Amino acid sequence: MEQFFQQLTNGLAVGGIYALIALGYTMVYGVMKLINFAHGDLFTIGSYLGLTLLTSLMLTDRIGAFLGVLVLVVMVMGLVGVVGIVLERAAYRPLRESPRLSAVVSALGASIFLQNTIMLIYGAKFHFYPQDILPKMAINLLGFPVPLMRIILLLTSLVMMIALYLFIQKTKIGTAIRAAAIDQGAARLMGIDVNGVVMIVFLIGPALGGAAGVMVGLYYGQVNFTMGWLYGLKAFTAAILGGIGNIPGAMVGGILLGVIEALGAAYISIAWKDAIAFCVLILILIVRPTGLLGERVAEKV
Amino acid sequence: MKENRAIYGILLAGAAVILHLLMTIHGIDFQTQGGIFVILGLSLLLMEGHADVFNMGHMVGYAAFVLILMSAPLFLNRYWVDVLNNVGLYALLGLSLNIILGNAGLFNMGHASFYAVGAYTAAILNTTYDIPILCLIPMAGVAAGLFAAVVARPIIHLRGDYLLIVTIGFVEIIRIALVNNVFGITGGSNGIFGISGPNIFEFLFDTSRPKIFGLKFTKVHEFFYLIWIFVALTVWLFHRLESSRFGRALNYLREDEVAAEGSGINTAWYKLLAFILGATWAGMAGVLYASKMTIISPESFSFWESVLVFMIVILGGSGSISGAILGAFLIVGLPEIFRGFADARMLIFGLAMMLMMIFRTQGILPPRARVFST
C-alpha cells in the first residue's frame, strides 16, 4: 500500500509535467493540424535556460526559494515562448499551404536543429540542477509521507492548466483560438486574425513546455540535450490518449499516462517503463483513435 | 543543344579544378580528395541520368554512374570504399522505404524496426547455428516481412500523421525489447557479435584474399560488390514493379484513396502488401549490415535511423528510384566530406531539411511523369 501510494503520487507529479507538454502539442495540432515535432526540444531549451538563469542570477538566494523559483519559471516561459514564435515564423509559416508531409519533415528538421544547437552551446554531457533549492521535506498525507516537491509540481501544473482552460473558454482571444481551430477560413471571414492566433498558440504552447522543462530539472536534478525527444513523444502519447486537439483531454491524458507509467514501472518492470507508454499509444490508436474524451468538434482547440 | 553541353562541361571541369586546388591548399591528401570527387561526381551523374540537367542524355548519365561506381574500388582507399558501402546500404533502405512512403504514400517512420528484425534474425541464426550469411538474406527478409504483416495489419487504416506516430512507437518498443534481451536471445544492450562475412570469393576461388589487377581484394571490396549488385537488382525489380499493376495501384492509392477504393482497388490489402515488400527489403539490407559490421546492438536501430531513411526518400524525391539513391549519397556520403565540422553536421542537416521543404517540397529528383503510349 505504501509503495502503491508513493508510485501514485510520483505518477501524478510526472503526469502533470506530461500534461503541460501535451497541451503544447494539442493546441498546435488543434489550430494547425500539425504535429510539432520540435516541441520536445523547446521543452529541453526550457530546462537548460532554467538551469542557466538559476545558477547565474542566484534568484533563490536573493528573494527566497519559492518566490525565486516562481520568477524563474515565469522568465523561462517568456523566453521559450519567444523561441516558439520564431520557430513558427521560420519553419512552419512558409509551409502553411503545403502538403502535410512537408510540414512534418520541416518540424523534424527543426527538432534536429534545435537539439544540436543545445548540444553545441552546452555540450553533450549531463547537466545537474543544484539540489538544495526547494526544501526537501515530506508532508504527511493520509498517513504516508509525500515529498513536498511532488505536491508543488502537481499543484503548479494544475494551476497552469486551469488558468489555460479559463483563458481559452472565457476570454476573447480564447474564443478566437477556438474559432480558428474549427475552421480557419471561416474564422478569417469573421474578422479573426488567424496569424495572430497561431502566434499566440506558439507562445502559450512552448511557454508551458518550457515551464515543464524547469520542473523536470528540479524534480530529477539532471538534464541532457536528447531528453526532449522522449518527453515529447510521451507527452504526444498523452495528447492522443486524451484526444488530440482537446485541451481537457491533454490534461487528463497526461496525468493518466504518468500514473500508468509509474505503476507499470513499479509492478511490471522498470526496464520496460518507456515501452509501457508506447504500448498505451499503439493500443489507443488501434482501439479508439479519437482518444478518451473524443475529438469534440465544438471545443476542439 | 551542343553549345550548352560544352559550357556545362567547362563549368564542371573548372569547378573540379578549383575544388582540387582549394583542398590541396588545405592539406587534404589525394585519397580523401578522390573520395570527395567520387561522391560529388556520382551524385551529379545521377541527377544527369534522371533529369538530364547537363544536356548529356539520360543514358550517358546512368552509364557513367555505373562505370565510375563499379571501378571506384580500384582507385579509392578502403575508408572511402567503406563509405560507398554505407551509401549502398542506405540506398537499399531508401529504396525499400520508397515503396511504402513514396509509392503508396504511407508515412512510415518505423523502418528501423524492420531493418532490426532482419539484422537480428541473421545475427542470431548465424552465430548460434552457423548458417551462412548468403542463405540468411532471403530468410531474414521473410522474417522481416512476416513481422511487418503482423504489426502493420491492425494499424494500416490509420491516417497520415497517426500512422507516423504509431510507427515511431513501434521502433521504440522494438529497441527497448532488444535492450531488455527479450527471449534471452538478443544479447541485451551489448548486442550480438562475431557475425561472419559472406566469404563469396574464398568460396569461388578457394584462396584467401586474391589480388585482382594488383589490388589487394579485401572484405571491404567484397561487400562493395555484394551491396551494389544487390542495389542494382533492387533497382531493376522495383523499376519493373513501378509500371506493374501493383505499382499503379499503389500510386492511385497515394493520389486519392477514396477514388482508388471506388475503382475496385482493395486499398487495405495493397497497403499491407507495400508494407510487407518494403519490410522484406529492409530486412535483407539488415543482413548485409550485420554481416558488414560483425557486431550489432540496439542503438543502431533507434528512431534516428528511421528519420535518416525517411529523409533519404523525402530529400531525394519521394517516389523516385534515382531520388532514393541520390538521397543516400547526399545524406550518408556528403557528411563524410564535412567530417571536419562533425559537431555542426547534424545542425546543418536539420537546417537543410527545413529549407528543402520550404523551397523544393517535391525533393531533388521527383519522379518523372509517366508517359503512356497511345
Side-chain angles (χ1 to χ4, degrees):
Chain A
M1 192 61 203
E2 162 88 44
Q3 191 202 4
F4 175 78
F5 192 74
Q6 290 300 341
Q7 287 306 329
L8 186 69
T9 51
N10 178 31
L12 285 173
V14 178
I17 294 173
Y18 287 158
L20 282 184
I21 311 173
L23 283 171
Y25 277 110
T26 224
M27 287 178 71
V28 169
Y29 192 90
V31 174
M32 297 178 68
K33 303 288 171 291
L34 162 75
I35 300 171
N36 180 9
F37 273 101
H39 191 61
D41 300 290
L42 294 170
F43 154 86
T44 319
I45 291 180
S47 59
Y48 271 93
L49 277 178
L51 179 62
T52 308
L53 292 175
L54 191 68
T55 44
S56 62
L57 297 181
M58 310 292 274
L59 279 172
T60 47
D61 294 344
R62 287 192 193 151
I63 51 176
F66 291 102
L67 195 60
V69 169
L70 191 68
V71 173
L72 178 80
V73 168
V74 172
M75 283 165 73
V76 168
M77 283 175 79
L79 288 172
V80 178
V82 171
V83 176
I85 291 174
V86 173
L87 173 76
E88 192 268 329
R89 274 289 160 86
Y92 304 142
R93 184 161 298 184
L95 294 166
R96 202 75 69 73
E97 307 302 322
S98 314
R100 284 168 90 176
L101 184 60
S102 318
V104 169
V105 173
S106 180
L108 275 169
S111 168
I112 295 174
F113 178 78
L114 289 177
Q115 192 174 321
N116 284 280
T117 311
I118 301 168
M119 192 199 75
L120 286 179
I121 296 172
Y122 288 94
K125 60 182 192 300
F126 278 90
H127 284 259
F128 297 94
Y129 266 64
Q131 273 308 292
D132 44 359
I133 309 161
L134 291 174
K136 275 207 178 325
M137 51 192 222
I139 285 176
N140 242 350
L141 213 67
L142 304 173
F144 299 106
V146 179
L148 182 65
M149 182 70 101
R150 286 182 192 164
I151 296 169
I152 294 175
L153 285 188
L154 186 61
L155 284 181
T156 318
S157 43
L158 281 179
V159 166
M160 284 188 194
M161 286 188 267
I162 290 166
L164 179 73
Y165 186 74
L166 292 178
F167 174 77
I168 297 287
Q169 292 298 329
K170 303 286 178 201
T171 64
K172 215 165 182 179
I173 301 173
T175 316
I177 294 177
R178 279 183 289 149
I182 295 166
D183 189 333
Q184 285 201 10
R188 196 173 285 122
L189 291 178
M190 294 297 126
I192 291 170
D193 174 12
V194 174
N195 279 339
V197 166
V198 170
M199 215 174 90
I200 289 169
V201 165
F202 266 95
L203 175 76
I204 297 174
L208 293 174
V214 179
M215 287 158 75
V216 163
L218 289 173
Y219 191 47
Y220 288 109
Q222 60 176 26
V223 291
N224 181 260
F225 76 105
T226 53
M227 70 176 186
W229 123 254
L230 190 61
Y231 276 94
L233 203 52
K234 283 185 185 167
F236 187 79
T237 303
I240 297 254
L241 184 60
I244 190 142
N246 179 315
I247 286 186
M251 303 174 188
V252 172
I255 290 178
L256 204 59
L257 186 72
V259 172
I260 292 173
E261 203 185 65
L263 294 180
Y267 292 101
I268 300 172
S269 158
I270 184 93
W272 290 82
K273 183 179 157 221
D274 296 334
I276 291 166
F278 298 126
C279 287
V280 169
L281 170 73
I282 291 168
L283 277 181
I284 198 85
L285 279 177
I286 292 174
V287 178
R288 197 180 155 88
T290 51
L292 293 180
L293 299 193
E295 213 171 22
R296 279 183 295 173
V297 180
E299 283 184 20
K300 196 172 68 173
V301 168
Chain B
M1 298 297 250
K2 270 225 161 87
E3 311 82 40
N4 275 359
R5 205 184 288 180
I7 292 168
Y8 282 126
I10 293 166
L11 280 179
L12 280 176
V17 170
I18 292 170
L19 193 62
H20 167 68
L21 288 176
L22 276 178
M23 289 195 289
T24 314
I25 290 168
H26 283 274
I28 296 171
D29 61 283
F30 280 122
Q31 281 293 342
T32 312
Q33 287 196 16
I36 291 172
F37 274 118
V38 165
I39 285 179
L40 288 179
L42 287 175
S43 309
L44 288 176
L45 284 174
L46 210 51
M47 288 188 197
E48 171 60 23
H50 183 83
D52 203 9
V53 273
F54 305 115
N55 290 320
M56 290 173 197
H58 297 286
M59 288 330 287
V60 177
Y62 282 138
F65 175 84
V66 172
L67 265 176
I68 292 181
L69 182 69
M70 285 297 130
S71 55
L74 298 178
F75 52 88
L76 289 182
N77 64 9
R78 286 177 51 187
Y79 177 82
W80 285 98
V81 175
D82 195 49
V83 169
L84 286 177
N85 286 350
N86 287 335
V87 171
L89 267 180
Y90 279 93
L92 274 179
L93 288 174
L95 287 168
S96 65
L97 182 62
N98 192 30
I99 296 281
I100 304 172
L101 173 66
N103 291 338
L106 302 166
F107 297 178
N108 169 25
M109 198 63 102
H111 219 52
S113 60
F114 306 140
Y115 188 40
V117 169
Y120 268 90
T121 308
I124 291 163
L125 292 180
N126 181 262
T127 51
T128 46
Y129 302 106
D130 271 335
I131 304 175
I133 280 294
L134 287 179
C135 305
L136 281 171
I137 291 179
M139 285 166 78
V142 169
L146 281 177
F147 172 76
V150 172
V151 161
R153 185 66 198 83
I155 59 168
I156 207 78
H157 63 278
L158 290 172
R159 295 200 316 251
D161 314 9
Y162 283 87
L163 189 65
L164 190 86
I165 289 292
V166 171
T167 47
I168 293 176
F170 270 121
V171 170
E172 276 303 294
I173 292 176
I174 290 290
R175 194 184 62 79
I176 293 165
L178 292 175
V179 171
N180 286 332
N181 201 357
V182 69
F183 310 130
I185 51 174
T186 67
S189 51
N190 294 327
I192 299 175
F193 38 87
I195 305 152
S196 64
N199 302 333
I200 314 166
F201 292 94
E202 272 101 329
F203 175 72
L204 285 179
F205 302 120
D206 194 28
T207 151
S208 56
R209 309 290 175 241
K211 282 190 170 187
I212 297 173
F213 305 125
L215 178 91
K216 198 155 179 264
F217 206 84
T218 61
K219 213 173 155 187
V220 180
H221 301 98
E222 192 176 70
F223 272 110
F224 178 84
Y225 288 105
L226 185 63
I227 289 172
W228 281 101
I229 286 170
F230 199 63
V231 173
L233 277 174
T234 309
V235 168
W236 176 74
L237 193 73
F238 285 3
H239 180 69
R240 300 289 299 153
L241 208 64
E242 263 184 359
S243 39
S244 71
R245 185 185 177 83
F246 174 69
R248 281 178 286 136
L250 290 191
N251 284 353
Y252 199 179
L253 210 124
R254 177 189 64 197
E255 297 304 330
D256 193 335
E257 198 177 326
V258 179
E261 182 100 57
S263 311
I265 290 173
N266 186 345
T267 50
W269 172 241
Y270 273 105
K271 282 178 175 178
L272 193 63
L273 273 186
F275 251 100
I276 293 172
L277 184 64
T280 305
W281 242 260
M284 294 198 280
V287 181
L288 292 175
Y289 174 79
S291 173
K292 184 169 101 65
M293 302 305 286
T294 72
I295 172 167
I296 52 172
S297 69
E299 293 318 307
S300 315
F301 306 102
S302 69
F303 164 70
W304 292 109
E305 201 68 12
S306 293
V307 174
L308 214 62
V309 184
F310 201 84
M311 286 309 115
I312 286 174
V313 175
I314 297 291
L315 288 189
S318 165
S320 121
I321 289 176
S322 315
I325 300 172
L326 179 71
F329 269 96
L330 295 185
I331 286 183
V332 182
L334 216 53
E336 290 296 333
I337 296 176
F338 299 110
R339 258 183 312 157
F341 329 80
D343 284 343
R345 210 160 69 178
M346 288 303 280
L347 188 106
I348 297 167
F349 184 44
L351 203 61
M353 274 162 69
M354 288 193 277
L355 292 177
M356 187 79 191
M357 284 305 111
I358 294 170
F359 295 110
R360 197 177 164 91
T361 313
Q362 73 274 41
I364 300 171
L365 299 180
R368 268 182 281 167
R370 188 174 289 144
V371 181
F372 292 100
S373 49
T374 46

